Amino acid sequence: MSDNQTRVIVGTAVAVGTLTVAGLAYLYNSKKAEESIPTKWKKVGKIIDLNCFPVKSCAPIKCDSFDCHLLGIEYESLFDRCFVISQGKKQTTARAYPKMVLIQPTVVDNELHLSAPDMPDFVLNLDELRTGSINGKVECWYSKVKGIDAGDDIANWLSEFIVGKPGKLRLLYYPYAYPTKGVSKNDREWKAYRGDDAGTYHDKTSYMLINQASIDELNAHLDHVVKPLQFRPNLVIKGPGAYDEDNWKWIKVGESVVYRVLKPCTRCIFTNINPETGVRHPKREPLETLVKNRSIIPNQTPVMGTQIGIRVTGRISVGDDVYINDESEA
């Protein structure tokens, strides 16, 4: 069976009891760590910002409300990190090319529009893209993830802006309705983290949350102010104390959307890139300060924010109340 056939019939196959190997693995991973969702909650704050990053390492699309699905936040039929830029067989990110954060995606009438400084806008037809063959593969942090190559024209546009030469980079689109990346060996110690939390082309999990108070506490140690966007969160919350999120297990947003806290979010040199200028900080900040103050996991890079996986899907909005499980629940 081809990848294209699998993509089309996986839902039907589940319904009639005839699963592909990929479907069996997916269902196994989704069930192996099932836990009871809490019934008692306590309010800790509110959502103050939401971000969807349809193209990995590029600028976000901001909106007051987003639908939240298994693959991540959705905006106009595109999921968070559903596009990845590759060089050869490996993903290319702003860790190597900081100016990638200046590429701004928008979605208009089922077209992906990309804009960048000193470049003409590029328009990609999403309907045509989705009918293409699954013909690409990219290494995404220990996993090889398949996709649909978006073609030469957008590849050359990205190559021209990012590296200054056409033909160096490619753009892949994630075609599946479920995660395929799996949990890397390095993360299997986190018992709540399961295969269907891996998202599309995400580094780790399909959702990441930042607490504004934690950013404020970090800024108290810096000679310049960093904003939450420097850490590329999907959800930004206000209300809890600094680093309270380190100890959470469950999060509910609004009346119904529920997330499981999976692991602290470890950090790298990406945090040193100013999202407004695409320039690294000359003194490697804030990462250097995080190394001193937030290296809380043995043999791991420092931590800021928390990686979460969705357990009850739905819609979330800026201004929604945020709850955590009440530890007094029996």
Side-chain angles (χ1 to χ4, degrees):
M1 181 180 294
S2 70
D3 285 309
N4 290 324
Q5 290 172 315
T6 301
R7 174 177 40 158
V8 172
I9 72 167
V10 66
T12 304
V14 171
V16 301
T18 305
L19 292 173
T20 63
V21 172
L24 284 169
Y26 162 67
L27 289 178
Y28 170 76
N29 283 327
S30 69
K31 292 179 180 296
K32 68 178 182 179
E34 281 187 353
E35 298 175 278
S36 297
I37 293 174
T39 59
K40 295 177 65 177
W41 301 90
K42 60 180 180 181
K43 181 180 172 181
V44 293
K46 289 183 178 290
I47 297 285
I48 60 170
D49 195 23
L50 295 169
N51 299 295
C52 179
F53 301 88
V55 185
K56 187 172 184 176
S57 272
C58 296
I61 292 175
K62 290 182 172 290
C63 195
D64 287 340
S65 296
F66 286 108
D67 287 322
C68 296
H69 297 282
L70 184 65
L71 287 176
I73 277 182
E74 181 194 25
Y75 179 80
E76 298 291 345
S77 80
L78 292 181
F79 290 104
D80 190 70
R81 275 85 168 186
C82 67
F83 286 96
V84 65
I85 300 169
S86 66
Q87 187 167 16
K89 296 183 178 181
K90 294 187 176 183
Q91 67 175 351
T92 294
T93 72
R95 297 176 185 88
Y97 300 107
K99 65 191 299 186
M100 288 175 66
V101 302
L102 301 180
I103 299 174
Q104 179 63 62
T106 56
V107 181
V108 180
D109 295 330
N110 211 35
E111 295 175 333
L112 176 68
H113 292 231
L114 298 180
S115 62
D118 303 317
M119 293 287 291
D121 287 0
F122 190 93
V123 178
L124 180 67
N125 186 296
L126 295 173
D127 283 334
E128 292 178 3
L129 175 66
R130 289 176 176 130
T131 61
S133 299
I134 298 175
N135 55 359
K137 184 183 293 186
V138 62
E139 185 177 314
C140 219
W141 288 106
Y142 313 110
S143 298
K144 291 181 173 64
V145 187
K146 293 181 180 180
I148 299 174
D149 191 293
D152 293 340
D153 291 342
I154 195 166
N156 287 331
W157 187 93
L158 291 166
S159 299
E160 183 66 34
F161 177 70
I162 295 170
V163 299
K165 295 180 181 179
K168 294 291 185 181
L169 306 176
R170 306 298 298 183
L171 182 69
L172 291 184
Y173 171 73
Y174 189 83
Y176 300 105
Y178 54 90
T180 60
K181 184 161 60 70
V183 181
S184 73
K185 291 181 179 179
N186 292 347
D187 292 321
R188 289 175 188 168
E189 64 180 290
W190 305 99
K191 300 306 181 183
Y193 185 2
R194 59 196 201 188
D196 59 351
D197 294 320
T200 54
Y201 296 114
H202 294 81
D203 278 2
K204 296 290 184 178
T205 67
S206 50
Y207 293 87
M208 199 276 286
L209 175 146
I210 283 285
N211 175 7
Q212 179 64 55
S214 302
I215 298 294
D216 295 341
E217 199 282 334
L218 172 63
N219 280 326
H221 301 278
L222 300 174
D223 60 6
H224 70 293
V225 172
V226 297
K227 298 178 180 180
L229 185 56
Q230 203 138 332
F231 297 88
R232 304 183 63 80
N234 299 117
L235 289 73
V236 183
I237 64 173
K238 186 174 183 178
Y243 307 124
D244 282 359
E245 64 274 18
D246 290 349
N247 300 308
W248 294 349
K249 293 181 179 179
W250 293 88
I251 299 168
K252 185 174 78 167
V253 177
E255 294 300 315
S256 61
V257 180
V258 177
Y259 303 92
R260 179 66 164 95
V261 176
L262 305 177
K263 62 183 293 293
C265 189
T266 50
R267 295 300 176 174
C268 67
I269 59 171
F270 203 139
T271 59
N272 299 334
I273 301 168
N274 185 321
E276 297 176 359
T277 65
V279 176
R280 296 189 202 276
H281 192 277
K283 295 183 180 179
R284 291 173 51 87
E285 292 290 4
L287 186 61
E288 288 297 309
T289 295
L290 288 174
V291 168
K292 297 174 184 175
N293 298 337
R294 292 288 294 163
S295 294
I296 62 175
I297 306 174
N299 304 314
Q300 294 284 322
T301 54
V303 166
M304 173 63 77
T306 186
Q307 291 174 314
I308 57 181
I310 199 159
R311 296 295 180 265
V312 179
T313 60
R315 191 166 183 85
I316 62 174
S317 302
V318 172
D320 278 352
D321 291 330
V322 176
Y323 305 84
I324 62 171
N325 59 298
D326 190 337
E327 293 289 352
S328 67
E329 182 178 13

